[in-house]
Amino acid sequence: MAAGLSIAALLSMVLVMAERSTRSSRPTLAAALVHFGLGLVALGIAFSGPYSTQVETSLGKGESVQVGPYTATLNELYEGRSSNGAYEFLEAEIRLSRHGKDIAVVSPQRRVYAKFSQSAFAEAETRPSLGTEFYATLLGLEQGSKAVLHLSAHPLVNWLWIGGAIMVLAPFLGLRRRRPAEHDRATSGDA
């Protein structure tokens, strides 16, 4: 229901903005754009939560798992130290493919900082997309050579950010300084 209502709101705002009278009035256009942004936020919420896919799995080198529309394959595991010596890391190199075609490589890390040697920190890796965004987090090692991973795919999650940005920036379009001649006409019409 939320998806249908947000699509209806988006279409109605497109129709409103298609009218010449809306485009000629900057405050009216700004208000229509704010409502359009709200529709994008609602669309992002409607799809990103209920249709997200999350998988927690352990993979050995060459093993794969399906996460939403993506196939994630563990290519390699690396251990090392940062160039400045601030932390040691364990990194998983994960190849993403969709419909048999390789599209990206993500490399989440598990870090142990020299100043916080009792705690390990996860550095998630993201594959951004306007469609389905992919997140990978390396949780640790299992049996020495298997990576324990939390993988998730969230459709339309970036539309939340795009809609929010439109909602924040559109009101600036409606701001303008009145010229003295406009002010005089407006006040003389009231008399």
Side-chain angles (χ1 to χ4, degrees), residues 117-137:
S117 60
Q118 301 300 317
S119 301
F121 297 90
E123 291 293 321
E125 181 82 11
T126 304
R127 195 261 178 193
S129 171
L130 291 177
T132 301
E133 188 159 284
F134 183 84
Y135 300 91
T137 307

Side-chain angles (χ1 to χ4, degrees), residues 66-86:
Q66 190 71 32
V67 184
Y70 299 105
T71 301
T73 305
L74 180 64
N75 282 349
E76 195 65 55
L77 283 170
Y78 302 103
E79 286 185 64
R81 179 179 288 277
S82 67
S83 58
N84 62 1

Side-chain angles (χ1 to χ4, degrees), residues 11-90:
L11 289 175
S12 65
M13 284 301 106
V14 167
L15 292 174
V16 166
M17 289 185 286
E19 293 181 15
R20 184 174 216 184
S21 61
T22 302
R23 291 191 315 269
S24 64
S25 170
R26 286 175 41 178
T28 306
L29 180 60
L33 283 171
V34 168
H35 285 86
F36 184 80
L38 181 62
L40 288 177
V41 169
L43 185 67
I45 291 169
F47 280 94
S48 67
Y51 298 105
S52 67
T53 305
Q54 297 187 32
V55 175
E56 195 166 305
T57 187
S58 59
L59 296 176
K61 292 179 190 176
E63 293 180 341
S64 300
V65 66
Q66 190 71 32
V67 184
Y70 299 105
T71 301
T73 305
L74 180 64
N75 282 349
E76 195 65 55
L77 283 170
Y78 302 103
E79 286 185 64
R81 179 179 288 277
S82 67
S83 58
N84 62 1
Y87 60 87
E88 294 179 0
F89 66 87
L90 174 65

Side-chain angles (χ1 to χ4, degrees), residues 105-190:
V105 174
V106 293
S107 302
Q109 291 184 344
R110 193 85 179 151
R111 295 180 180 176
V112 177
Y113 289 88
K115 292 185 178 183
F116 304 101
S117 60
Q118 301 300 317
S119 301
F121 297 90
E123 291 293 321
E125 181 82 11
T126 304
R127 195 261 178 193
S129 171
L130 291 177
T132 301
E133 188 159 284
F134 183 84
Y135 300 91
T137 307
L138 177 60
L139 302 176
L141 285 179
E142 181 181 272
Q143 302 170 356
S145 62
K146 285 196 164 208
V148 180
L149 300 161
H150 179 82
L151 308 171
S152 59
H154 300 271
L156 304 183
V157 72
N158 280 321
W159 292 102
L160 291 162
W161 295 102
I162 293 168
I166 290 172
M167 289 173 59
V168 168
L169 297 175
F172 290 110
L173 182 65
L175 296 177
R176 65 183 178 109
R177 186 184 301 236
R178 284 189 167 196
R179 288 181 244 138
E182 289 179 23
H183 180 67
D184 292 342
R185 276 186 294 213
T187 56
S188 65
D190 294 337

